[in-house]
Amino acid sequence: MSPYSNKYIMTKKTFQFSKKQTTFYFDAEFAFLEKLIGGDHAIIVTDEHVFKHHKKKFSQWKTIVLKAGEAHKQQATVDDLLGQLITAGADRKTLLVGVGGGVVTDMTGYAASVYMRGIRFGFVPTTILAMVDAAIGGKNGVDVGVYKNLVGTINQPEFLLYDTSLLKTLPANEWVNGFAEIIKHGCIKDAAMFKQLLEHKLSDYKKDAKLLGALIRRNAMIKAEVVKADEFEQGERRLLNFGHTLGHAIENLYGLSHGEAIAVGMVAASVFSETLTGFKSTAKVIEAFEKYGLPTNAAFDKAEVFKMLQMDKKRERTAMNYVLLEKIGKGVVKSIPINELEKFIQQV
Ligand SMILES: NC(=O)c1ccc[n+]([C@@H]2O[C@H](COP(=O)([O-])OP(=O)(O)OC[C@H]3O[C@@H](n4cnc5c(N)ncnc54)[C@H](O)[C@@H]3O)[C@@H](O)[C@H]2O)c1
Ligand SMILES: [Zn+2]
């Protein structure tokens, strides 16, 4: 029996959010979609890479295939998708299923939220990042030119179906990207998982479907719990921005991958934490990123990056909310005066 023939141990978990509930089906198989929504008028939305690698899985479904990649996460792509929905005769009873990485799930959730003022939707995430992060929490939308995620809605999917065998075709760099968010979750919320990550390496998770499935479930639960506690980002949800403030600035300026940029951002935030919270484990954070093939520092123009930081949407006039660590597994949000932040950035 293939290690992925695990339909008998599928785990179901339902989260009640403010307006909707989302059911997670972990350790499931793609074929379970038929049982879940077979009777519904469903349309799958995917991208050209996922479609190419998993063609057979789509054969029984009406499928709309989008161009792959962040560059296409734009309103024009959504407009095209909406046009295809009209052509396909989609109506208020249609259920959209986004099968792909975060780009696909963000656009599917957005299109489903606005088509006929809102139709049902669910996701089958196919990247590590989408499984543990992007597909969870209801944020969806598109970039506007260079401005990331500027337009969109918050609207929870009805279901998430996890089939980790889909990851067999995921490029190596996308595994690394996803693990940056997994390490982030360990830093802000889960010391025991952080320890497990240090005891293992990426190839252990790639080889062992059970180990990987458990890790993904644990991370999906961390994200879902944080979102449930603070769906509209007034407090707790901000923790998920650990490493992302500086990360976004250097990602934009220096063309690093998202995972690489936030890894550098998390190490910098750990260093800031030493002064601001008495955090003592920066060396462990660095060890984790090195272990999973992520950078821990980058040469960047401090003045330029500081200018970018000031434009970050999380800025509040003279101070900025910054996510720090008190210890591994305990993130905190602190308001840092802008001038103090400038001094810190100079030291990175
Ligand atoms: N909504 C949220 O809360 C949230 C959170 C984090 C990130 N995001 C968004 O998610 C996006 C990044 O997501 P991502 O990293 O999944 O990127 P992605 O969707 O671009 O996927 C990465 C690449 O992998 C390919 N791919 C996906 N699954 C594959 C598979 N199983 N086999 C082979 N190739 C596969 C894709 O075609 C793409 O080329 C960004 O747009 C980001 O803004 C959203
Ligand atoms: Zn991220």
Side-chain angles (χ1 to χ4, degrees):
M1 193 163 63
S2 126
Y4 297 109
S5 295
N6 48 14
K7 56 188 145 198
Y8 299 111
I9 54 159
M10 188 178 75
T11 319
K12 188 175 156 184
K13 178 104 177 98
T14 298
F15 273 78
Q16 182 66 49
F17 293 103
S18 65
K19 291 203 189 74
K20 280 191 187 163
Q21 62 178 32
T22 303
T23 302
F24 291 74
Y25 298 92
F26 293 111
D27 302 308
E29 290 183 353
F30 187 87
F32 177 67
L33 205 55
E34 170 67 38
K35 270 215 175 95
L36 191 61
I37 58 161
D40 294 320
H41 177 205
I43 298 179
I44 286 185
V45 180
T46 189
D47 76 22
E48 55 198 356
H49 296 157
V50 179
F51 187 73
K52 181 183 78 188
H53 287 294
H54 301 279
K55 232 182 192 136
K56 260 168 66 189
K57 290 198 163 65
F58 296 100
S59 57
Q60 72 177 97
W61 300 97
K62 163 103 198 97
T63 304
I64 295 173
V65 183
L66 305 177
K67 289 219 168 71
E70 186 73 27
H72 297 286
K73 202 177 103 172
Q74 297 280 337
Q75 186 66 42
T77 310
V78 173
D79 289 345
D80 178 56
L81 169 57
L82 295 173
Q84 293 199 54
L85 290 176
I86 295 169
T87 309
D91 60 19
R92 285 199 180 80
K93 290 207 181 78
T94 300
L95 170 69
L96 283 197
V97 185
V99 181
V103 167
V104 166
T105 57
D106 274 13
M107 285 197 289
T108 305
Y110 174 41
S113 300
V114 296
Y115 188 74
M116 295 189 162
R117 298 197 183 82
I119 59 172
R120 299 166 58 204
F121 68 103
F123 297 143
V124 181
T126 64
T127 63
I128 299 270
L129 187 131
M131 289 184 184
V132 303
D133 188 357
I136 304 163
K139 283 189 187 174
N140 57 59
V142 291
D143 306 331
V144 178
V146 296
Y147 299 101
K148 290 260 297 167
N149 303 318
L150 196 69
V151 167
T153 69
I154 294 188
N155 188 11
Q156 303 296 340
E158 237 173 71
F159 67 84
L160 282 109
L161 189 157
Y162 285 78
D163 178 347
T164 52
S165 75
L166 292 163
L167 297 169
K168 282 191 274 189
T169 56
L170 189 69
N173 61 324
E174 299 299 345
W175 277 83
V176 172
N177 250 328
F179 268 74
E181 306 287 356
I182 288 177
I183 295 169
K184 176 190 83 178
H185 286 157
C187 287
I188 58 169
K189 278 283 167 195
D190 192 340
M193 181 181 79
F194 188 90
K195 190 160 166 277
Q196 189 208 90
L197 288 167
L198 287 182
E199 285 159 5
H200 286 288
K201 50 185 184 314
L202 193 53
S203 57
D204 298 341
Y205 292 102
K206 281 190 176 177
K207 275 193 299 232
D208 185 339
K210 223 170 150 189
L211 190 68
L212 178 66
L215 184 76
I216 284 173
R217 177 166 42 186
R218 189 164 180 157
N219 279 277
M221 291 295 93
I222 291 172
K223 168 112 194 223
E225 293 283 2
V226 170
V227 172
K228 191 178 167 205
D230 175 27
E231 201 171 339
F232 300 100
E233 201 160 332
Q234 307 295 309
E236 178 88 350
R237 190 167 183 167
R238 291 182 183 155
L239 289 178
L240 298 171
N241 293 326
F242 180 51
H244 281 58
T245 308
L246 183 64
H248 281 150
I250 59 174
E251 181 177 350
N252 290 339
L253 283 173
Y254 297 100
L256 295 174
S257 75
H258 182 69
E260 291 167 343
I262 63 165
V264 173
M266 286 187 261
V267 172
S270 302
V271 175
F272 299 168
S273 303
E274 290 172 11
T275 313
L276 295 167
T277 70
F279 180 63
K280 292 187 181 63
S281 308
T282 304
K284 287 270 170 224
V285 175
I286 290 175
E287 186 186 339
F289 289 128
E290 283 179 347
K291 190 141 199 195
Y292 288 86
L294 286 153
T296 56
N297 55 50
F300 58 83
D301 179 332
K302 309 277 158 74
E304 188 72 17
V305 165
F306 182 66
K307 220 167 72 195
M308 281 290 289
L309 278 189
Q310 283 189 298
M311 294 187 321
D312 191 286
K313 58 185 177 226
K314 286 175 277 298
R315 184 175 70 105
E316 283 161 13
R317 290 169 198 276
T318 54
M320 188 187 268
N321 279 320
Y322 216 88
V323 187
L324 302 168
L325 298 180
E326 273 182 2
K327 54 184 183 182
I328 300 281
K330 181 141 184 32
V332 286
V333 180
K334 284 224 155 73
S335 171
I336 307 185
I338 289 286
N339 55 353
E340 214 169 304
L341 191 65
E342 187 170 16
K343 268 190 275 166
F344 276 128
I345 299 290
Q346 292 302 335
Q347 290 160 19
V348 174

